[in-house]
Structures are given as C-alpha cells and as structure tokens.
Amino acid sequence: MADDKKHAEIDAALVRQLAEILNETDLTEVEVERGELRIRVAREITVNAAPVQYAAAPAPVAAAAAPAAMPSDPATIVARAGEEVKSPMVGTAYLQPSPEAPAFVQPGDKVKKGQTLLIVEAMKTMNPIQAPRDGVVADILVGDAQPVEFGEALVLLEA
C-alpha cells in the first residue's frame, strides 16, 4: 500500500512536469515511458477567429505560382467539390521530399489510400500526410513551405 502511494505521488509530479512542458513549448501532446509506466498528456487547441500573420518565405527564382488565396467575403466563396485532407497539426507544408525532388502529387494525379500527398514539418519532424482513400487530386490548397494551422485544408480529393 505504501509503495502504491509513492508511485501515485511520483506519477502526479511527472504529470505536472509534462503539463508544464506542453505550456512552455506550445506542443499539443507529450508522452513519457519509464519501464512499465507510460504517461501521455495532451491538450486540445482551439483556433481563435483573430487573423494570424506570417512572414513570407523568400521564393526561389524558378518558383511555381502559389495557389490563389481564398476570398475573405463569404458571398464570393464557392463550395469545393470533394474531400478536404486537413492538417493534423500546426507546422510547415512541403510539397516535395526535398527541394530538388519532384512534388509528391500534382492536380489530376490518381492516388491510392495511404499514399503520401505532402509533408507537414513540426518541431523538426517530417510528418507525411497520406491520402485517406483512393481518388484523384482535384487541387493542392497550400503552397510549398507555407505555414499551416491545425485543421487547415491541404489537398482536395475527388472520387
């Protein structure tokens, strides 16, 4: 019994430390494993309505044109046909595996479920964003090296 109480105190302190790490680093999740003990602390991020400004990355000399921005007037927004593949995290979107490599996909490409569509880099980790189902890439909604938010539409897939 005394041993169980000691583990509970250690666990509570560890949880507090992990929560502090989340707050200090703006991470959404952290997990620690010590022997048989495994603790995961996560938080939900809500996106506020205030506009966020980013500094534009310098464009390479032979850069492709960036996708057109969505209009801010709701009356001019046209509904998109297809399924939006959304970002599971805040980060930077990359359309190809390296600067000299071709893009993972182009509009009009047929893709299979699980195929990499692009990468979102977060905290120096490259996270492949995969097709949720078979389909055709209708549109790529982000530019290369563009900052993206959690839940932001990245790619539009058609049947």
Side-chain angles (χ1 to χ4, degrees):
M1 180 76 177
D3 195 35
D4 289 340
K5 185 176 179 182
K6 180 180 176 185
H7 284 302
E9 290 176 20
I10 292 171
D11 296 348
L14 181 57
V15 170
R16 283 189 189 96
Q17 288 176 334
L18 294 174
E20 287 177 23
I21 291 170
L22 286 179
N23 289 331
E24 292 170 0
T25 62
D26 288 330
L27 292 173
T28 57
E29 182 178 313
V30 65
E31 186 173 330
V32 171
E33 203 169 324
R34 288 184 181 167
E36 294 181 19
L37 175 68
R38 181 173 162 197
I39 299 176
R40 178 178 163 264
V41 179
R43 66 179 171 158
E44 187 174 317
I45 301 294
T46 56
V47 179
N48 60 15
V52 178
Q53 295 182 352
Y54 295 100
V61 176
M70 287 294 293
S72 59
D73 179 11
T76 62
I77 296 177
V78 178
R80 298 182 208 151
E83 178 182 354
E84 293 178 338
V85 179
K86 297 182 178 186
S87 179
M89 65 197 70
V90 174
T92 303
Y94 292 102
L95 303 180
Q96 64 265 0
S98 65
E100 60 280 342
F104 287 106
V105 294
Q106 297 286 335
D109 286 356
K110 290 182 181 181
V111 295
K112 296 281 186 192
K113 179 179 179 176
Q115 180 178 341
T116 299
L117 303 172
L118 52 88
I119 293 173
V120 174
E121 183 257 333
M123 302 294 293
K124 305 285 187 208
T125 301
M126 299 301 178
N127 302 283
I129 307 303
Q130 300 174 339
R133 61 173 174 80
D134 292 358
V136 176
V137 176
D139 199 4
I140 299 173
L141 306 171
V142 294
D144 190 46
Q146 175 183 326
V148 295
E149 294 292 327
F150 170 80
E152 181 176 342
L154 303 171
V155 175
L156 189 61
L157 280 184
E158 293 178 336

